[in-house]
Amino acid sequence: MLDRLNEALERVERDLGEPVDVAAMARSVFVSEQHFRRMFSVLSGMPISEYVRRRRLTLAGAEVIEGGDTLLDIAVRYGYGSAEAFGRAFRSVHGVGPGEARRGGAALTSQSRLTFHLTIEGNTIMRYRIVDKDAFAVTGPKARVPLVCEGPNEAMIEFVKGIDEATHERIEELSDQEPRGALGVTRTPEPGSGEGGDIDYYQAAATFSTEVPEGMESLRVPAGTWVVFPFERYTFPEQIQRIWLYAFSEWFPSNPAYQRGQGPDMLKVDYDEQEEGLASGELWMPVEKV
């Protein structure tokens, strides 16, 4: 799996002036485009689109400083239709415009080429179970927040803090199936609709009910298969976030009969009453047979 992923990343280096074909990259790894995007984000800490942008502008920065071609020629070579568009993108990565960089003395940012390696430590043991579920809904307040792969997600924290007690109680009342209670539900927007590191986040219940109370939204989830990773007394959020890393770097490669399925991830967290910062619960991820 990791060898095929590294081969797919070669496309980024070969096609620096062309639109990135994520679907073709996913096919070369024998996974769906959604699975590829999520796997890349979890393993690298950034969306594939952001990595491509940084790589292109890293190489473009070297050519700008070298001074052999005009700024427009460099812009076109790296897929920008105008010097103005190139200038805006260049400044967003390097903090200075290409003209200023060419005049000398400016410090530029460099995005190294990514290569994924598997490190064998021998001490990663995770329990899991496979569950088939009928169609259901996740219903609750929703917000679009940045994807944060490591450390606290401040936007998500503020969103949850803003939910009143009555709404929390209504979420608990709606819960009528596994996983029980209030859930943190995350869904990556479809490619082309908000791509760039954002996720849809629900504080919600898994329910058969079609009721959508005022102030809530409902996401219909089709019948399917789920892999469930239980955890006990993990530090929150650091160790819990690493379950996703484990899933994409170890569980999926070790279980090639499954790939990432359509649907949201559901996280059930029960905070430890004895020791602050610890939590137990389950992570539910949709999967499908390859």
Side-chain angles (χ1 to χ4, degrees):
M1 171 70 80
L2 292 183
D3 287 342
R4 292 197 296 268
L5 179 58
N6 288 328
E7 290 174 6
L9 290 181
E10 287 296 325
R11 292 174 178 266
V12 177
E13 305 302 318
R14 292 199 308 265
D15 304 328
L16 284 169
E18 301 297 328
V20 60
D21 190 344
V22 180
M25 296 172 74
R27 286 194 299 270
S28 70
V29 184
F30 305 118
V31 298
S32 68
E33 181 177 348
Q34 181 192 40
H35 179 89
F36 181 87
R37 288 179 181 273
R38 185 60 186 241
M39 177 173 60
F40 185 91
S41 293
V42 170
L43 293 177
S44 69
M46 73 183 90
I48 180 65
S49 57
E50 177 66 11
Y51 172 67
V52 171
R53 186 175 73 97
R54 292 182 185 182
R55 276 298 295 155
R56 288 179 175 175
L57 290 166
T58 292
L59 298 177
E63 294 192 21
V64 166
I65 291 175
E66 184 180 349
D69 293 318
T70 67
L71 296 180
L72 181 58
D73 287 341
I74 297 172
V76 171
R77 184 176 304 127
Y78 288 94
Y80 293 91
S82 68
E84 290 76 15
F86 176 63
R88 288 193 298 271
F90 194 96
R91 183 177 293 276
S92 71
V93 168
H94 296 292
V96 296
E100 184 180 350
R102 173 159 285 185
R103 286 192 292 272
L108 301 187
T109 300
S110 177
Q111 170 63 60
S112 300
R113 289 182 62 170
L114 284 180
T115 303
F116 295 110
H117 300 279
L118 178 62
T119 301
I120 306 298
E121 296 183 345
N123 60 355
T124 302
I125 299 175
M126 287 287 294
R127 293 178 297 134
Y128 74 92
R129 58 192 173 103
I130 300 295
V131 178
D132 291 321
K133 281 181 66 67
D134 293 332
F136 64 100
V138 290
T139 302
K142 169 191 167 186
R144 181 157 292 184
V145 300
L147 173 64
V148 175
C149 295
E150 186 172 357
N153 188 322
E154 298 297 341
M156 189 180 293
I157 292 170
E158 289 304 311
F159 167 66
V160 174
K161 284 182 177 178
I163 300 174
D164 59 47
E165 188 61 32
T167 302
H168 280 295
E169 292 176 358
R170 191 71 187 96
I171 292 171
E172 293 284 350
E173 292 170 359
L174 285 169
S175 175
D176 58 16
Q177 62 186 273
E178 279 197 294
R180 298 275 179 177
L183 310 173
V185 180
T186 54
R187 174 180 175 272
T188 304
E190 297 298 326
S193 60
E195 168 70 15
D198 288 343
I199 55 174
D200 289 334
Y201 177 76
Y202 298 76
Q203 184 74 184
T207 180
F208 289 124
S209 173
T210 58
E211 178 188 1
V212 184
E214 183 178 356
M216 298 187 185
E217 297 190 35
S218 187
L219 174 67
R220 300 301 302 178
V221 183
T225 303
W226 302 76
V227 58
V228 182
F229 299 104
F231 56 90
E232 295 182 6
R233 294 176 61 81
Y234 274 27
T235 58
F236 183 87
E238 290 81 3
Q239 280 188 306
I240 295 175
Q241 288 171 328
R242 294 192 191 113
I243 301 175
W244 276 274
L245 179 60
Y246 163 79
F248 284 104
S249 65
E250 298 188 40
W251 191 86
F252 281 110
S254 299
N255 295 271
Y258 293 99
Q259 70 172 11
R260 168 79 186 197
Q262 301 294 321
D265 294 342
M266 301 186 294
L267 181 66
K268 169 63 176 176
V269 177
D270 294 315
Y271 295 99
D272 197 303
E273 296 181 358
Q274 303 292 325
E275 189 170 349
E276 185 177 356
L278 295 182
S280 301
E282 295 180 329
L283 171 63
W284 290 59
M285 297 180 68
V287 295
E288 59 188 32
K289 286 290 186 72
V290 175

